[in-house]
Amino acid sequence: DSQAPTVPSSPTKGTVTMTTVGLSWTGSTDNVGVTGYKIYRNGTQVGTSATTSFTDNGPSPGGLTPGTSYSYTISAYDAAGNNSAASSATTISTAPDTQAPTKPTITSATTATNNVTISWSGSTDNVAVTGYKVLRNGTQVGTTTGAVTSFENKTVPVGTYQYTIVAVDAAGNASTPSDAKSVSIYGSADVDKNGVVNIQDIATILANYGKSGAGVAGDANGDGVVNIQDIAYILTYYGSTG
């Protein structure tokens, strides 16, 4: 047997999801008998079928890419290995991903000088979370990618801020913002970190007067020792807030 089957019809779209494409076509004829069909996606064979239908589940794991167009052709073959020419192509798109990731939750916020480090619990998504947006007072100040769930916001000015996190996926769907986390950055003159430079800061200096070392309480000017220069520094900013 050297006669190839006739060319099958172009495939038509069946059931389509975000990650799968269903196909069907009109069968070929052959002088002996058609054994089956080869299915091609973008010119590469992705399966065979003994019937005139096929579901392309895409590469494993994960399947096809949501919201993406693929070109499909079909060829028939018989028991002798004769192959028909490929059908004309049909372009079929998977369904778009419209589901947003779940809402993230901020788990901690720590400060060091003028830096703020925010950490949160990861979100989930029907396909995959691709990253997170970090917002301060509603304005984006950074992003993370993949499964990274922490971010250091550097050189933050003195003040009180509300941080929120938004998860995003590959389709651009964004989650509901996390609940806000309030974070305050204090000036160095506010040694007791109560938001105002006042007599309590001088009291802190007097309580630690003469002590030295990195980060010692009462070291307002940051020179590593608590002394009269720190009191002078406090007086310079006395009454300021934030």
Side-chain angles (χ1 to χ4, degrees):
D1 178 12
S2 59
Q3 183 174 327
T6 60
V7 179
S9 69
S10 301
T12 57
K13 181 174 72 172
T15 301
V16 172
T17 71
M18 289 190 300
T19 57
T20 64
V21 168
L23 305 168
S24 62
W25 57 91
T26 301
S28 301
T29 59
D30 185 66
N31 62 322
V32 176
V34 174
T35 302
Y37 299 88
K38 297 178 181 179
I39 296 87
Y40 297 86
R41 181 202 326 125
N42 295 343
T44 299
Q45 185 178 339
V46 294
T48 61
S49 175
T51 67
T52 56
S53 64
F54 178 79
T55 297
D56 181 11
N57 294 308
S60 234
L64 300 171
T65 302
T68 302
S69 295
Y70 298 96
S71 177
Y72 289 95
T73 56
I74 310 295
S75 70
Y77 62 92
D78 62 21
N82 300 303
N83 290 276
S84 75
S87 70
S88 56
T90 299
T91 299
I92 301 174
S93 297
T94 50
D97 176 13
T98 58
Q99 183 173 325
T102 58
K103 175 182 173 180
T105 300
I106 295 177
T107 55
S108 67
T110 58
T111 61
T113 312
N114 289 87
N115 295 352
V116 177
T117 299
I118 301 290
S119 299
W120 58 91
S121 59
S123 300
T124 59
D125 186 63
N126 61 319
V127 179
V129 175
T130 56
Y132 298 88
K133 297 178 181 179
V134 181
L135 295 90
R136 185 179 73 209
N137 290 356
T139 299
Q140 185 175 327
V141 293
T143 60
T144 68
T145 57
V148 177
T149 55
S150 66
F151 177 80
E152 184 180 10
N153 188 194
K154 298 181 178 179
T155 62
V156 180
V158 171
T160 297
Y161 305 96
Q162 303 296 317
Y163 281 86
T164 53
I165 307 297
V166 174
V168 293
D169 63 19
N173 299 306
S175 73
T176 299
S178 69
D179 293 337
K181 181 71 172 179
S182 182
V183 179
S184 294
I185 296 292
Y186 299 100
S188 60
D190 183 20
V191 294
D192 65 355
K193 308 304 182 190
N194 70 347
V196 60
V197 181
N198 56 18
I199 192 66
Q200 282 78 21
D201 298 297
I202 295 176
T204 301
I205 291 172
L206 295 176
N208 294 278
Y209 202 87
K211 293 181 180 179
S212 61
V216 62
D219 181 19
N221 65 357
D223 65 357
V225 60
V226 182
N227 55 22
I228 191 65
Q229 281 76 24
D230 295 299
I231 294 177
Y233 191 83
I234 291 292
L235 293 177
T236 300
Y237 293 96
Y238 199 88
S240 61
T241 60

